[in-house]
Amino acid sequence: MLSAFRSGALKSVIQGHGAFKVLAVVPSRQGHSISKQERIETWDYVNSVYFGPERDMKNFPNPTQPAKHEPVRLGIVPQSWFDFMYPKTGVTGPYVFGGGLALWMMSKEIMVVDHYFWEIPSFWIMVYILCNHQKVGPQLTKWVAEKYEARKHVQFTRPINMMKDAEKANIAKLDRLIEETETIKHVHQAKKEGVEFQLEAAYRQRLQTAYQEVKKRLDYEVEKANTKRRFEQDHMVNWIVNSVTKSITPQQEKESIQLFQMDYLQLWSCKSIEADLSLGC
Amino acid sequence: MSSYQPGRYPREYNPKVHGPYMPGRYYGKPDTPFGQVKLGELGDWFGRRNKGPSAIWAAIHRGYWRWAAKNLHVRHTGFVPYGQAIMCISAIYFGIMYSERKYHRHCKYH
């Protein structure tokens, strides 16, 4: 806003010429760069003014730049002058008018044939020779065309191509960014699944540890009980055997041996009888 | 009311209707073009014209810009606009130098 005051652009608005008398409020370029948003807003505002519903495109069309000058005759005289004269005087009228006017002015010495007079025909003869020379004319045309192309390249083609390339690179970068943000979803899923795998593994590890620990304790208890029972049994057996062994007297031993011998003989005889019977059969 | 003011757009110019400003375009109420005026109506036609100095100045500017847009400010400018400008300057100088060059006349009576 301050820059608009400084550039004097608001002066006509203040002096009562309406708000639309000033369209291009260009801020002075003293360390102030216009942001993209400001440019877009200005563009939209100007578009809304120039191409609004009230615009009369039929009577006031947009200006266009023609490729060439208007059609001419006699080198420089506009065709429109001959068209203007044609309905009044015919085809030869404008020529007769021009030649007659020059002749009349020379006849009455309004146009005096002095030293200055010859500048005009000599200049135009030189121009005619240059334009119609076999080498110079085309060379001049080529030189001018080259200059024009170089200027067009510097002022239009190169900057707009640079801008286009920059915007293409920008678009590619943003596309890449969009793709990356889309892949983030999958990366997040993979990471989540990884963490879930780790949690599952830890859970199973703990289950296994708990199982092992409980099993160890139970095994210990079982082993302890077994050991205790075995020890008691052994002790009981030993005690009984010892007690029995201690309680046997030599008399008893002798008796028992004798009893054994008798039993043995008896058994042996029974065995031999059985054997005989079996052989006899 | 004068249509031309130094440094300002013409009073009749309204960007909402006329679009971007063209200095070669007349934004006032259009009259019959000069080429289509009958000889008898020429006096009336001139009577309707605005003959103030600023109006004349504005007309000269409009004429220049109309000529320049058609001939000078084209994509491939040839020699034609420069030749036309040279002839115009010659005509102006002819008028300026007329009294001086009159001295070189050969005859007193024509």
Side-chain angles (χ1 to χ4, degrees), chain A residues 158-217:
Chain A
R158 197 172 59 182
I160 206 163
N161 282 343
M162 277 166 76
M163 279 177 80
K164 275 181 184 168
D165 289 347
E167 287 306 317
K168 270 179 194 161
N170 206 4
I171 286 166
K173 213 170 93 183
L174 290 175
D175 279 344
R176 169 89 189 162
L177 205 63
I178 288 165
E179 277 176 23
E180 280 174 6
T181 45
E182 276 169 0
T183 54
I184 283 290
K185 226 163 33 187
H186 302 288
V187 171
H188 179 254
Q189 179 77 11
K191 280 184 177 174
K192 201 178 163 188
E193 280 175 6
V195 170
E196 277 172 0
F197 276 136
Q198 285 177 20
L199 286 173
E200 180 75 17
Y203 172 68
R204 287 187 184 194
Q205 180 69 35
R206 283 174 191 176
L207 266 186
Q208 189 68 20
T209 311
Y211 168 74
Q212 295 284 359
E213 290 299 316
V214 170
K215 192 170 178 293
K216 261 192 238 170
R217 278 160 178 73

Side-chain angles (χ1 to χ4, degrees), chain A residues 12 15 17 20-21 23 49-50 54-56 60-63 65-70 72 75-76 78 84 88 105 107-114 116-117 120 123-124 127 144 148, chain B residues 5 8-11 13-22 25-27 35 69-71 73-77 79-80 83-84 86-87 90 94 97-98 101-102 104-107 110:
Chain A
S12 65
Q15 290 177 352
H17 291 263
F20 294 113
K21 297 296 173 188
L23 284 169
V49 172
Y50 281 160
E54 296 170 47
R55 176 69 195 275
D56 185 2
F60 301 96
N62 280 342
Q65 189 186 26
K68 260 190 105 189
H69 55 79
E70 282 179 309
V72 288
I76 58 162
F84 172 72
K88 299 172 181 70
M105 284 168 87
S107 159
K108 294 286 178 190
E109 284 198 316
I110 295 164
M111 189 156 65
V112 185
V113 183
D114 58 355
Y116 296 122
F117 174 83
I120 295 287
F123 172 75
W124 285 107
V127 167
V144 171
Y148 172 75
Chain B
Q5 294 169 296
R8 311 256 176 82
Y9 289 132
R11 281 185 194 279
Y13 171 63
N14 180 5
K16 284 188 165 183
V17 177
H18 302 134
Y21 181 70
M22 279 178 76
R25 194 176 263 171
Y26 181 59
Y27 289 102
K70 282 178 187 167
N71 294 291
H73 301 158
V74 295
R75 254 174 282 160
H76 300 280
T77 315
F79 177 70
V80 168
Q84 289 172 350
I86 284 163
M87 285 317 282
S90 295
F94 177 80
M97 307 269 285
Y98 179 70
R101 291 172 72 182
K102 212 163 55 172
H104 293 280
R105 277 178 178 172
H106 300 98
C107 306
H110 293 281

Side-chain angles (χ1 to χ4, degrees), chain A:
Chain A
M1 196 66 191
L2 279 173
S3 56
F5 272 116
R6 199 156 54 225
S7 65
L10 286 175
K11 213 168 102 185
S12 65
V13 178
I14 293 161
Q15 290 177 352
H17 291 263
F20 294 113
K21 297 296 173 188
V22 177
L23 284 169
V25 180
V26 181
S28 58
R29 301 189 174 192
Q30 293 169 354
H32 175 71
S33 62
I34 308 161
S35 73
K36 205 176 263 183
Q37 189 57 36
E38 280 172 339
R39 273 182 202 277
I40 291 167
E41 278 168 10
T42 312
W43 182 272
D44 285 344
Y45 169 69
V46 173
N47 251 350
S48 74
V49 172
Y50 281 160
F51 303 104
E54 296 170 47
R55 176 69 195 275
D56 185 2
M57 285 296 262
K58 206 173 135 197
N59 294 323
F60 301 96
N62 280 342
T64 50
Q65 189 186 26
K68 260 190 105 189
H69 55 79
E70 282 179 309
V72 288
R73 279 199 214 166
L74 293 177
I76 58 162
V77 187
Q79 175 77 33
S80 55
W81 168 246
F82 292 92
D83 293 343
F84 172 72
M85 292 291 274
Y86 176 72
K88 299 172 181 70
T89 62
V91 179
T92 50
Y95 300 102
V96 172
F97 174 74
L101 186 70
L103 206 61
W104 171 72
M105 284 168 87
M106 283 168 79
S107 159
K108 294 286 178 190
E109 284 198 316
I110 295 164
M111 189 156 65
V112 185
V113 183
D114 58 355
H115 297 85
Y116 296 122
F117 174 83
W118 295 106
E119 284 174 2
I120 295 287
S122 50
F123 172 75
W124 285 107
I125 286 163
M126 279 196 293
V127 167
Y128 181 80
I129 289 167
L130 278 178
C131 288
N132 289 281
H133 196 272
Q134 280 186 344
K135 279 184 184 171
V136 179
Q139 269 180 357
L140 267 176
T141 315
K142 201 180 143 200
W143 181 76
V144 171
E146 274 172 7
K147 284 273 170 196
Y148 172 75
E149 283 302 320
R151 200 182 66 171
K152 193 179 160 190
H153 178 70
V154 168
Q155 293 186 345
F156 181 74
T157 317
R158 197 172 59 182
I160 206 163
N161 282 343
M162 277 166 76
M163 279 177 80
K164 275 181 184 168
D165 289 347
E167 287 306 317
K168 270 179 194 161
N170 206 4
I171 286 166
K173 213 170 93 183
L174 290 175
D175 279 344
R176 169 89 189 162
L177 205 63
I178 288 165
E179 277 176 23
E180 280 174 6
T181 45
E182 276 169 0
T183 54
I184 283 290
K185 226 163 33 187
H186 302 288
V187 171
H188 179 254
Q189 179 77 11
K191 280 184 177 174
K192 201 178 163 188
E193 280 175 6
V195 170
E196 277 172 0
F197 276 136
Q198 285 177 20
L199 286 173
E200 180 75 17
Y203 172 68
R204 287 187 184 194
Q205 180 69 35
R206 283 174 191 176
L207 266 186
Q208 189 68 20
T209 311
Y211 168 74
Q212 295 284 359
E213 290 299 316
V214 170
K215 192 170 178 293
K216 261 192 238 170
R217 278 160 178 73
L218 286 176
D219 284 350
Y220 171 73
E221 287 298 325
V222 169
E223 194 62 30
K224 203 169 83 175
N226 283 344
T227 311
K228 193 176 174 186
R229 202 169 60 241
R230 201 166 59 235
F231 182 78
E232 282 172 353
Q233 210 172 358
D234 287 355
H235 184 70
M236 179 78 90
V237 168
N238 286 341
W239 178 65
I240 291 167
V241 168
N242 283 343
S243 306
V244 169
T245 317
K246 272 180 202 162
S247 66
I248 295 171
T249 56
Q251 186 62 37
Q252 274 178 331
E253 201 174 344
K254 216 177 266 173
E255 282 173 2
S256 68
I257 288 166
Q258 276 176 357
L259 198 65
F260 172 71
Q261 280 175 345
M262 278 168 71
D263 285 345
Y264 181 72
L265 284 171
Q266 204 177 351
L267 272 171
W268 185 74
S269 59
C270 283
K271 275 275 181 192
S272 60
I273 291 162
E274 278 177 10
D276 287 345
L277 284 170
S278 65
L279 283 170
C281 293

Side-chain angles (χ1 to χ4, degrees), chain B:
Chain B
M1 190 191 284
S2 170
S3 128
Y4 174 80
Q5 294 169 296
R8 311 256 176 82
Y9 289 132
R11 281 185 194 279
E12 299 89 358
Y13 171 63
N14 180 5
K16 284 188 165 183
V17 177
H18 302 134
Y21 181 70
M22 279 178 76
R25 194 176 263 171
Y26 181 59
Y27 289 102
K29 202 178 164 213
D31 202 342
T32 323
F34 178 72
Q36 295 169 18
V37 179
K38 302 271 193 306
L39 270 177
E41 297 163 5
L42 209 59
D44 290 345
W45 191 85
F46 270 110
R48 286 198 299 274
R49 298 274 72 73
N50 195 344
K51 289 177 281 292
S54 58
I56 289 166
W57 186 240
I60 290 167
H61 266 251
R62 275 203 310 279
Y64 167 73
W65 280 105
R66 198 176 299 137
W67 170 80
K70 282 178 187 167
N71 294 291
L72 187 62
H73 301 158
V74 295
R75 254 174 282 160
H76 300 280
T77 315
F79 177 70
V80 168
Y82 300 106
Q84 289 172 350
I86 284 163
M87 285 317 282
C88 284
I89 291 164
S90 295
I92 291 163
Y93 263 80
F94 177 80
I96 291 169
M97 307 269 285
Y98 179 70
S99 56
E100 200 177 312
R101 291 172 72 182
K102 212 163 55 172
Y103 180 72
H104 293 280
R105 277 178 178 172
H106 300 98
C107 306
K108 193 174 178 183
Y109 303 104
H110 293 281

